Amino acid sequence: MSLSERVFKNFSHDIGIDLGTANTLVYVSGKGIVINEPSVVALNTRTKQILAIGNDAKSMVGRTPAHIVAIRPLVDGVISDFEITEQMLKYFFTKVQQGNLNFFSRPQVVVGIPSGGTDVERRAVQDAALNAGARAAFLIEEPMAAAIGSRLPVQDPSGSMIVDIGGGTTEIAVISLGGVVVSRSIRVAGDEMNESIIQYAREEFNLLLGERTAEEVKIKIGSAYRQKEGAQAVMRGRDMVTGLPKEVVVTDEQIREALSRSVRTIVNTVKEAVEETPPELVADIMSRGITLAGGGSLLRGLDLLVAKETLIPVHVTDDPLTAVVRGTGVVLEDLENLREVLIQTEVEKIPR
């Protein structure tokens, strides 16, 4: 290790990032997961000034004057606003370094990105991390990171199947010998499920729902498979006919119907991935089972439905919300031995 490398290692904390559509999680070497905040930025459109990032920005959604907007700089796992993404990353880096982001504290970063991203989209993520203050940026596909975070034997000559259901994308991959053999990436995930509930409320009850309300209903009573005990929730919004406040009580069966199209798309894509997997790896997967990760995997009964449709055992990984960022952390701690799982070599940017 060179003198400059030893200096950087002594003064900086390497960082793993799950740069998600809905939430950004940050892992710091030697400390674990230190940040889990929404990928939301509050912006003053008149002055172009960023007012808040993360939790503070999300609390403003739907509650601000017209000239202050709460935006997500990532859409379907892809950067839609480069400059704001850069500012968001810089905010998280500074928060991790306790406000001391300088020449010597520039971190080495591993970022999880969707497997279906183009080279341009991948380069945008890498550039954003470097411009935000990283001295070196590595990229890893989210399903690979989720598999590593779930402690699947990704470097063994046997098949492992991971389904990572996030906010903007669902990533499906069959992994063997440190590489992805079969992969699928679809832009149907948690956000799409929320939108399905909003559309259902509009069509069935003439009720205009907010995104946060739809997500709360999904978390409270949402399911993909019939539950033994029924459940109900209250949806509050605006009556589209009178324009006045309206309250509707819905059952888990109704919400399951609302989510059915999104759930069916995810299940069918999993089946397609299984159908394309080489027979030897299918045998391994049948023995080991399919692993579900990501916030969407917490939808009640989703594991039972996938198991029924694929005839393969399915289990949800421990703490599925943090699987990807835990995977980036494992890679950070053993970068030399796990370099083969990265999809792109690092690009260094050390300021003069």
Side-chain angles (χ1 to χ4, degrees), residues 23 58 190 193-194 197 211-223 227 231-233 252 255 259 295-296 298-300 321:
N23 296 286
K58 187 171 184 180
M193 293 180 190
N194 296 342
I197 293 174
E211 185 179 338
R212 288 181 64 180
T213 302
E215 185 173 24
E216 288 168 2
V217 171
K218 178 187 70 177
I219 292 171
K220 187 173 182 180
I221 63 170
S223 62
Q227 302 296 292
Q232 294 183 336
D252 63 313
I255 298 303
L259 297 174
L298 295 173
L299 186 68
R300 297 169 185 81
L321 286 164

Side-chain angles (χ1 to χ4, degrees), residues 207 209 213-214 216-218 220-221 231-237 246-251 255:
L207 179 66
L209 279 188
T213 302
E216 288 168 2
V217 171
K218 178 187 70 177
K220 187 173 182 180
I221 63 170
Q232 294 183 336
V234 176
M235 293 196 304
R236 295 184 178 93
K246 184 177 181 179
E247 183 178 289
V248 174
V249 177
V250 290
T251 65
I255 298 303

Side-chain angles (χ1 to χ4, degrees), residues 99-300:
N100 185 32
L101 186 60
N102 55 40
F103 177 84
F104 290 112
S105 67
R106 286 178 174 262
Q108 186 169 245
V109 178
V110 174
V111 186
I113 64 170
S115 59
T118 64
D119 289 341
V120 172
E121 291 166 348
R122 290 173 176 178
R123 183 69 198 194
V125 174
Q126 204 166 30
D127 287 345
L130 292 170
N131 292 339
R135 79 174 188 274
F138 303 83
L139 302 181
I140 183 172
E141 292 181 343
E142 287 177 352
M144 177 66 79
I148 293 171
S150 300
R151 299 297 179 181
L152 297 181
V154 298
Q155 293 180 299
D156 290 357
S158 60
S160 299
M161 188 169 189
I162 186 83
V163 179
D164 177 29
I165 308 169
T169 60
T170 293
E171 311 281 334
I172 301 162
V174 175
I175 299 168
S176 179
L177 285 171
V180 176
V181 180
V182 176
S183 70
R184 282 282 185 278
S185 179
I186 57 172
R187 296 184 176 184
V188 177
D191 289 347
E192 183 78 14
M193 293 180 190
N194 296 342
E195 187 58 39
S196 295
I197 293 174
I198 292 172
Q199 185 175 345
Y200 183 84
R202 185 186 299 122
E203 293 174 353
E204 295 295 321
F205 306 111
N206 284 324
L207 179 66
L208 190 61
L209 279 188
E211 185 179 338
R212 288 181 64 180
T213 302
E215 185 173 24
E216 288 168 2
V217 171
K218 178 187 70 177
I219 292 171
K220 187 173 182 180
I221 63 170
S223 62
Y225 202 79
R226 182 180 294 276
Q227 302 296 292
K228 291 181 179 179
E229 296 183 5
Q232 294 183 336
V234 176
M235 293 196 304
R236 295 184 178 93
R238 189 170 73 235
D239 192 311
M240 296 177 64
V241 177
T242 67
L244 299 176
K246 184 177 181 179
E247 183 178 289
V248 174
V249 177
V250 290
T251 65
D252 63 313
E253 188 173 349
Q254 289 173 308
I255 298 303
R256 189 160 56 249
E257 179 185 345
L259 297 174
S260 60
R261 181 177 297 179
S262 298
V263 170
R264 177 51 53 188
T265 301
I266 293 171
V267 172
N268 286 343
T269 307
V270 173
K271 290 171 67 176
E272 290 172 8
V274 172
E275 290 168 3
E276 288 191 19
T277 303
E280 290 296 331
L281 296 184
V282 170
D284 295 333
I285 295 167
M286 289 181 69
S287 174
R288 184 172 290 129
I290 298 172
T291 301
L292 302 185
S297 66
L298 295 173
L299 186 68
R300 297 169 185 81

Side-chain angles (χ1 to χ4, degrees), residues 54-106:
N55 288 323
D56 293 338
K58 187 171 184 180
S59 67
M60 297 181 181
V61 173
R63 298 187 172 98
T64 60
H67 67 282
I68 298 177
V69 293
I71 62 175
R72 286 182 173 179
L74 292 103
V75 177
D76 296 332
V78 175
I79 291 178
S80 62
D81 192 313
F82 182 85
E83 291 183 0
I84 291 182
T85 301
E86 184 181 312
Q87 291 299 316
M88 185 174 73
L89 286 173
K90 187 174 292 185
Y91 164 80
F92 290 133
F93 289 174
T94 304
K95 195 170 183 178
V96 165
Q97 302 288 359
Q98 298 177 339
N100 185 32
L101 186 60
N102 55 40
F103 177 84
F104 290 112
S105 67
R106 286 178 174 262

